[in-house]
Amino acid sequence: MSSPSVNRRIVLAARPRGAPTAQDFRLEQVPVTAPADGQVLLRTVYLSLDPYMRGRMSEGPSYVPPLALGETMGGGTVSRVVASRHPGFREGELVLGATGWQDYALSDGEGLMPVRDTAHPSYALSVLGMPGFTAYHGLLNIGQPRPGETVVVAAASGAVGAVVGQIARIRGARVIGVAGGAEKRRYVTEQLGFDACLDRRDPHLAQQLAEACPDGIDVYFENVGGAVLDAVLPLLREGARVPVCGGIAHYNDEAPPPGPDRLPMLMALVLRKRLRLQGFIILDHYADGYAPFLRDMSAWVAEGKVKLREDVVVGLENAPAALMGLLEGKNFGKVVVRVAD
Amino acid sequence: MSSPSVNRRIVLAARPRGAPTAQDFRLEQVPVTAPADGQVLLRTVYLSLDPYMRGRMSEGPSYVPPLALGETMGGGTVSRVVASRHPGFREGELVLGATGWQDYALSDGEGLMPVRDTAHPSYALSVLGMPGFTAYHGLLNIGQPRPGETVVVAAASGAVGAVVGQIARIRGARVIGVAGGAEKRRYVTEQLGFDACLDRRDPHLAQQLAEACPDGIDVYFENVGGAVLDAVLPLLREGARVPVCGGIAHYNDEAPPPGPDRLPMLMALVLRKRLRLQGFIILDHYADGYAPFLRDMSAWVAEGKVKLREDVVVGLENAPAALMGLLEGKNFGKVVVRVAD
């Protein structure tokens, strides 16, 4: 192939106040640098968009360090090696990395992993990658559902929630999902096999959840917060487990919501119901947990026991709008940006 | 001894609004019934007063069922068998039970345990009993302090807090206590061996705690809530553990405090810091955990490694005022009522 000359990249132009807008991003064009000895030049093929990215756009503390103004937006990527001066990589192969929102990137190879499933390379960003591993670790190691227990998961058609529910079904639990809109809800029950799926926008969500969980809730996989958490809390059973991996309903909050202050109520509930609330960041668990995850999940995907719908956005320039939509729940499935063929 | 004829008992006269008052209790005198076949008649010697009793006085859900109006106040007791028609008990022996706020009680023997340490029978209500077991289980099984880690415990001179801190010291942790007033603070550091003890009423508690915990907090044993929890939250380290066994600062609350609503903030903190918040009720753990606790704690007490100060109130009729004082932190050590010699 001819040597590329221009790298398009999208940088953080301004820190969002509340929901991000187009003005918070800037597309820049810079020259592509040829790889030095020991380096590879990578062409981004797929870019993953994930809720945690909102946290990095703000200055305050998050579980990932904030981006600097003018810095290229970060993100997981599947890339093709287009030039290699590194003995571990050959031109044409696909690698999983974190080269962010840009067409090209140089790498010294550190942190790059081969993409084995070349028929579905984007799966390395979804069901076989970070979101799938998040679902697997959080549900099995913290949630620990037992057969017959009731598991509730919000964002049930999303990259993490869909996998949480399907693993819980494999483990013999009843699974109630919450998703936005009739189409997603139908998909969650008919395609993913959840026992039921409620509408997150329904004003009677709390009552519907209570009816769907007549024995209460044993595991609530927390990735949204907001109205779903409010509906879940009174239904948690004694000894319930709450793996906490996100709270997308609040990512755009500028200030804490008005009172009363329910923090003491939550602590009292933790005591009275003997709850276990446990946060986790999946990056902490790759060293110990990724290999068993990949073995189990690859088998489940091959057997058709775990499915994942992808919401593919074409073109790097469309990533900002796609992230804004993701934060509002407008996506339907795991969002990946197809940056190149 | 002559056969007793009158049983004094203290019943719940009214449900408190906020802090209990004398009008919420009523002392009644009723005849003592002689034991039937298979029963023992017990004379209360020591009655334990504990914060959980406040929860039982209210109607709302608590981790223990509410008392009915007119019902005798419940509570752990050390009693002497004064008449026995039960083959398992002989007159004169001391037993641990839960016969509540009264001079005498009949029992069919179920749930009674022999009191082995007859030199200090009240220890069966404190360091060798429920509060000691609460400290042991919560700290070691949920808190899991490692040598060199920082453990914070409030109500540090109280029945549970004092034991938590001393066990944490045995395990090689740094221990920072919080207590009310100079006398208690001195006792906690000089007698119990905590590394430091702060004043819960100091308006600069948050700043002082930050200075006392320069590396942050690895384990916070939660039994108070309120200002101590507020000061602790920003200092929790990644991976910190928070065993939750009480929230005495809120037991008299009539309504949730004013806003803003910090519940989403707490959930975000659980995620960002990978916290584990876990509630427990010690009654759940007697079957599996009591024997190893009693073995370890008896040894520590015998070796002088764990001490406990008792705040002994004389006379059953003084129990209501003593419970009111306990809920305001006016006690100094584990509160036991000496009901008879």
Side-chain angles (χ1 to χ4, degrees):
Chain A
M1 67 183 294
S2 63
S3 185
S5 61
V6 174
N7 180 31
R8 295 179 309 157
R9 66 187 183 198
I10 296 175
V11 304
L12 179 66
R15 301 207 181 276
R17 299 185 58 93
T21 66
Q23 284 68 46
D24 299 324
F25 305 89
R26 184 173 64 240
L27 196 153
E28 297 180 343
Q29 305 211 4
V30 292
V32 173
T33 312
D37 203 34
Q39 288 187 324
V40 289
L41 179 65
L42 302 173
R43 172 67 167 117
T44 309
V45 179
Y46 287 106
L47 164 67
S48 180
L49 295 186
D50 302 278
Y52 76 85
M53 292 170 170
R54 174 63 185 87
R56 297 201 61 193
M57 298 176 77
S58 290
E59 207 155 20
S62 174
Y63 55 89
V64 279
L67 290 161
L69 284 175
E71 189 175 350
T72 302
M73 293 287 295
T77 47
V78 166
S79 304
R80 183 172 294 111
V81 176
V82 290
S84 178
R85 295 185 61 188
H86 186 298
F89 300 91
R90 52 179 170 56
E91 285 176 26
E93 82 176 296
L94 288 172
V95 293
L96 175 65
T99 56
W101 297 30
Q102 54 187 343
D103 282 329
Y104 292 94
L106 286 176
S107 167
D108 62 6
E110 196 180 319
L112 297 184
M113 291 196 287
V115 171
R116 294 211 183 86
D117 187 348
T118 50
H120 301 97
S122 60
Y123 280 12
L125 299 174
S126 59
V127 68
L128 299 179
M130 194 264 283
F133 187 26
T134 298
Y136 178 95
H137 173 83
L139 183 71
L140 296 181
N141 293 337
I142 300 176
Q144 301 177 349
R146 291 181 281 261
E149 286 192 335
T150 298
V151 174
V152 170
V153 56
S157 67
V160 175
V163 178
V164 168
Q166 291 175 93
I167 301 175
R169 291 284 297 136
I170 291 171
R171 289 297 166 101
R174 276 189 78 234
V175 182
I176 310 299
V178 181
E183 191 186 3
K184 288 182 184 175
R185 290 172 56 206
R186 217 167 23 242
Y187 167 74
V188 165
T189 51
E190 293 178 4
Q191 300 297 315
L192 303 184
F194 285 37
D195 295 276
C197 190
L198 309 176
D199 197 315
R200 72 177 169 96
R201 299 191 200 96
D202 194 301
H204 302 106
L205 174 63
Q207 187 192 328
Q208 290 169 351
L209 190 63
E211 289 167 6
C213 304
D215 299 325
I217 298 171
D218 299 284
V219 178
Y220 172 54
F221 192 99
E222 169 64 318
N223 53 9
V224 300
V228 179
L229 177 62
D230 294 348
V232 162
L233 287 177
L235 300 175
L236 289 171
R237 292 181 61 144
E238 283 186 10
R241 289 81 67 196
V242 181
V244 180
C245 99
I248 194 170
H250 301 281
Y251 288 176
N252 287 333
D253 286 358
E254 280 289 285
D261 181 9
R262 296 181 303 157
L263 189 148
M265 178 281 290
L266 181 60
M267 295 300 289
L269 195 70
V270 166
L271 170 60
R272 180 157 59 83
K273 299 277 190 78
R274 297 88 149 151
L275 305 181
R276 181 149 61 101
L277 268 60
Q278 187 167 348
F280 69 101
I281 311 284
I282 199 60
L283 297 177
D284 299 341
H285 302 281
Y286 272 82
D288 293 336
Y290 188 70
F293 151 72
L294 198 60
R295 183 194 61 220
D296 286 350
M297 189 62 75
S298 298
W300 289 333
V301 170
E303 295 162 12
K305 288 182 179 169
V306 172
K307 301 172 197 170
L308 187 71
R309 180 183 172 113
E310 292 184 325
D311 187 335
V312 180
V313 175
V314 178
L316 178 66
E317 65 281 8
N318 294 317
L323 181 63
M324 292 178 233
L326 170 63
L327 291 169
E328 293 170 30
K330 290 184 175 167
N331 58 304
F332 187 176
K334 164 65 192 162
V335 181
V336 288
V337 180
R338 187 163 180 94
V339 180
D341 291 329
Chain B
M1 69 184 289
S2 64
S3 185
S5 61
V6 174
N7 180 32
R8 294 180 309 157
R9 66 187 184 197
I10 296 175
V11 305
L12 179 65
R15 300 206 181 279
R17 297 184 61 91
T21 66
Q23 283 69 47
D24 299 324
F25 304 89
R26 185 173 62 239
L27 194 154
E28 297 180 341
Q29 305 210 4
V30 293
V32 173
T33 312
D37 202 38
Q39 288 186 325
V40 289
L41 179 64
L42 301 174
R43 173 67 168 118
T44 310
V45 179
Y46 286 107
L47 165 66
S48 179
L49 295 186
D50 301 278
Y52 77 85
M53 292 171 170
R54 174 64 185 86
R56 296 202 62 194
M57 298 176 76
S58 291
E59 209 156 21
S62 173
Y63 55 89
V64 278
L67 290 160
L69 283 176
E71 189 175 351
T72 302
M73 292 287 295
T77 48
V78 166
S79 304
R80 182 173 296 111
V81 176
V82 289
S84 177
R85 296 185 60 190
H86 187 298
F89 300 90
R90 53 178 169 59
E91 284 175 27
E93 81 175 300
L94 289 173
V95 293
L96 175 66
T99 56
W101 298 29
Q102 54 186 342
D103 282 326
Y104 292 95
L106 287 175
S107 167
D108 61 5
E110 195 180 319
L112 297 184
M113 290 195 288
V115 172
R116 294 210 184 87
D117 187 347
T118 50
H120 300 97
S122 60
Y123 280 12
L125 300 173
S126 59
V127 67
L128 299 179
M130 193 263 283
F133 188 26
T134 298
Y136 179 95
H137 173 82
L139 182 71
L140 296 181
N141 293 336
I142 300 175
Q144 300 177 350
R146 290 181 282 261
E149 286 192 335
T150 298
V151 174
V152 171
V153 56
S157 67
V160 174
V163 179
V164 168
Q166 292 175 92
I167 301 175
R169 291 285 296 136
I170 290 171
R171 289 298 166 101
R174 275 189 79 234
V175 182
I176 311 300
V178 181
E183 192 186 2
K184 289 181 184 176
R185 290 172 57 207
R186 217 168 21 243
Y187 168 74
V188 165
T189 51
E190 294 178 6
Q191 300 298 315
L192 303 183
F194 286 38
D195 295 276
C197 189
L198 309 176
D199 196 315
R200 70 177 170 97
R201 300 190 199 96
D202 194 300
H204 303 106
L205 175 63
Q207 187 193 328
Q208 290 169 352
L209 190 65
E211 288 166 9
C213 305
D215 299 325
I217 297 170
D218 299 285
V219 178
Y220 171 55
F221 192 99
E222 168 64 318
N223 53 8
V224 301
V228 180
L229 177 62
D230 295 349
V232 162
L233 286 177
L235 300 175
L236 289 171
R237 292 181 60 145
E238 283 187 9
R241 289 82 67 198
V242 182
V244 180
C245 98
I248 194 170
H250 301 282
Y251 287 177
N252 287 332
D253 286 358
E254 281 288 285
D261 181 9
R262 297 182 301 158
L263 188 148
M265 178 281 287
L266 180 60
M267 295 298 291
L269 195 69
V270 166
L271 170 60
R272 179 157 59 84
K273 298 278 190 77
R274 297 89 150 151
L275 305 181
R276 180 149 63 100
L277 269 59
Q278 187 166 348
F280 69 102
I281 312 284
I282 199 61
L283 298 177
D284 298 342
H285 301 283
Y286 272 82
D288 293 336
Y290 187 69
F293 151 72
L294 198 60
R295 184 194 59 221
D296 285 349
M297 189 61 75
S298 299
W300 290 332
V301 170
E303 295 162 14
K305 288 183 180 168
V306 172
K307 301 172 196 168
L308 187 70
R309 181 184 172 112
E310 292 184 325
D311 188 336
V312 180
V313 176
V314 178
L316 178 66
E317 64 280 7
N318 294 316
L323 181 63
M324 293 178 232
L326 171 61
L327 292 169
E328 293 170 31
K330 290 185 175 165
N331 59 304
F332 185 177
K334 164 62 192 165
V335 181
V336 287
V337 180
R338 185 162 181 95
V339 180
D341 290 328

